[in-house]
């Protein structure tokens, strides 16, 4: 069975600085998708960025980028120029590729605090 | 357009009572998921529906939990004979189709069992 591990329960970053959130996963599949979701205090989960495992190029969305290391099964999220609005819980998630299950597996989350 | 909505936003119930939680997915989305988020934990998959296909119920923790989706739209998660360990936030999400990657989440229902 697949697992997702987020080893940092909480992180802090100074406004305008850069922070990296870690995520590792375990799978025997070769085709899958990885996601980072943001959950602000409103509880509404928002997709931040996604990565297809077959793509070697790391995904980027504005100030958010990932470092996808397939062999190491690592999928970290880098937030550049951190803003107060980035403060939230961040969840890493895994989903099998087209030949697998459609279930999503989430990590336990990292709470990000942004300091003014 | 409107996003995923859930009701009620908060629910307090006594141990042993039954509760129903409702989810309205985005119009036209054929896939619908239910998750449970306990305090300090990640999201735990409960069930998903795709169109008229049989749902994947493999995440339901016990036979006290059930869900249905009527007319391929609104879904109801029912918890019978609630226990204190059922206290959690229940999140619903919909995908445009099962194979689509992006899930759109509702704001959740916070269930407290006293």
């Amino acid at each position: 069975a697949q697992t997702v591990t987020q080893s940092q329960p909480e992180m802090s970053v100074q406004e305008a600085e850069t922070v990296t959130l870690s995520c590792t996963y375990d799978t025997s599949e070769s085709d899958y998708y990885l996601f980072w979701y943001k959950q602000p205090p409103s509880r509404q989960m928002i997709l931040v960025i996604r990565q297809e495992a077959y793509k070697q190029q790391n995904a980027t969305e504005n100030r958010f980028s990932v470092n996808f290391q397939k062999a190491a099964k690592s999928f970290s999220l880098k937030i550049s120029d951190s803003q107060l609005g980035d403060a939230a819980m961040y969840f890493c998630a895994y989903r099998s590729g087209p030949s697998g299950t459609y279930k999503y597996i989430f990590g336990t989350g990292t709470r990000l605090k942004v300091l003014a | 357009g409107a996003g995923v909505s859930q009701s009620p936003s908060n629910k307090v119930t006594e141990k042993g009572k039954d509760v129903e939680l409702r989810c309205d997915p985005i119009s036209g989305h054929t896939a619908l998921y239910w998750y449970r988020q306990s305090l300090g934990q990640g999201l735990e998959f409960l069930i998903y529906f795709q169109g008229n296909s049989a749902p994947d119920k493999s995440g339901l923790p016990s036979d006290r939990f059930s869900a249905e989706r009527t007319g391929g739209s609104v879904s109801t998660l029912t918890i019978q004979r609630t226990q204190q360990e059922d206290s959690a936030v229940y999140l619903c999400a919909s995908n445009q189709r099962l194979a689509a990657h992006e899930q759109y989440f509702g704001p959740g229902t916070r269930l407290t069992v006293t």
Side-chain angles (χ1 to χ4, degrees):
Chain A
Q2 296 83 21
T3 59
V4 176
T5 302
Q6 294 179 250
S7 58
Q8 305 156 316
E10 189 171 295
M11 293 281 285
S12 295
V13 63
Q14 206 70 34
E15 198 176 5
E17 296 294 309
T18 295
V19 64
T20 298
L21 308 184
S22 300
C23 173
T24 58
Y25 58 94
D26 189 28
T27 184
S28 58
E29 299 174 332
S30 59
D31 190 14
Y32 49 87
Y33 307 99
L34 296 165
F35 308 85
W36 278 99
Y37 279 89
K38 171 184 178 182
Q39 187 180 41
S42 67
R43 297 200 306 242
Q44 192 104 30
M45 297 274 284
I46 304 163
L47 178 66
V48 174
I49 199 166
R50 69 165 179 257
Q51 174 83 41
E52 289 88 346
Y54 63 85
K55 291 185 177 179
Q56 293 186 344
Q57 187 172 6
N58 289 323
T60 298
E61 288 286 343
N62 301 314
R63 297 183 294 106
F64 299 86
S65 62
V66 298
N67 183 4
F68 173 47
Q69 301 289 327
K70 191 172 184 179
K73 297 179 183 175
S74 171
F75 182 61
S76 59
L77 175 70
K78 186 172 83 171
I79 306 174
S80 303
D81 185 26
S82 297
Q83 301 175 359
L84 294 178
D86 295 333
M89 283 290 289
Y90 286 81
F91 292 94
C92 179
Y94 171 104
R95 203 196 83 174
S96 298
S99 60
T101 176
Y102 291 105
K103 290 186 277 192
Y104 291 75
I105 300 165
F106 286 80
T108 52
T110 296
R111 182 175 302 280
L112 178 66
K113 295 184 176 181
V114 181
L115 308 173
Chain B
V4 178
S5 61
Q6 292 186 245
S7 60
S9 177
N10 291 283
K11 176 72 176 178
V12 180
T13 190
E14 292 180 353
K15 177 182 173 181
K17 301 281 190 182
D18 298 351
V19 295
E20 286 188 349
L21 312 179
R22 176 187 169 105
C23 172
D24 282 89
I26 293 173
S27 178
H29 280 199
T30 61
L32 186 149
Y33 291 72
W34 281 99
Y35 295 93
R36 179 168 69 177
Q37 185 177 21
S38 302
L39 188 63
Q41 300 296 314
L43 277 66
E44 175 189 5
F45 165 79
L46 297 177
I47 186 171
Y48 74 68
F49 298 88
Q50 165 58 26
N52 295 321
S53 302
D56 182 331
K57 305 179 181 180
S58 60
L60 294 178
S62 76
D63 58 8
R64 295 187 296 105
F65 288 73
S66 63
E68 63 177 19
R69 188 178 185 191
T70 53
S73 181
V74 172
S75 178
T76 302
L77 176 68
T78 301
I79 308 174
Q80 296 179 310
R81 304 181 302 282
T82 52
Q83 303 294 312
Q84 287 188 329
E85 60 262 30
D86 299 334
S87 295
V89 173
Y90 290 83
L91 292 165
C92 173
S94 69
N95 294 26
Q96 190 170 29
R97 60 189 187 283
L98 203 60
H101 304 151
E102 183 164 0
Q103 295 205 292
Y104 295 81
F105 283 83
T109 294
R110 180 178 298 280
L111 175 66
T112 303
V113 182
T114 61

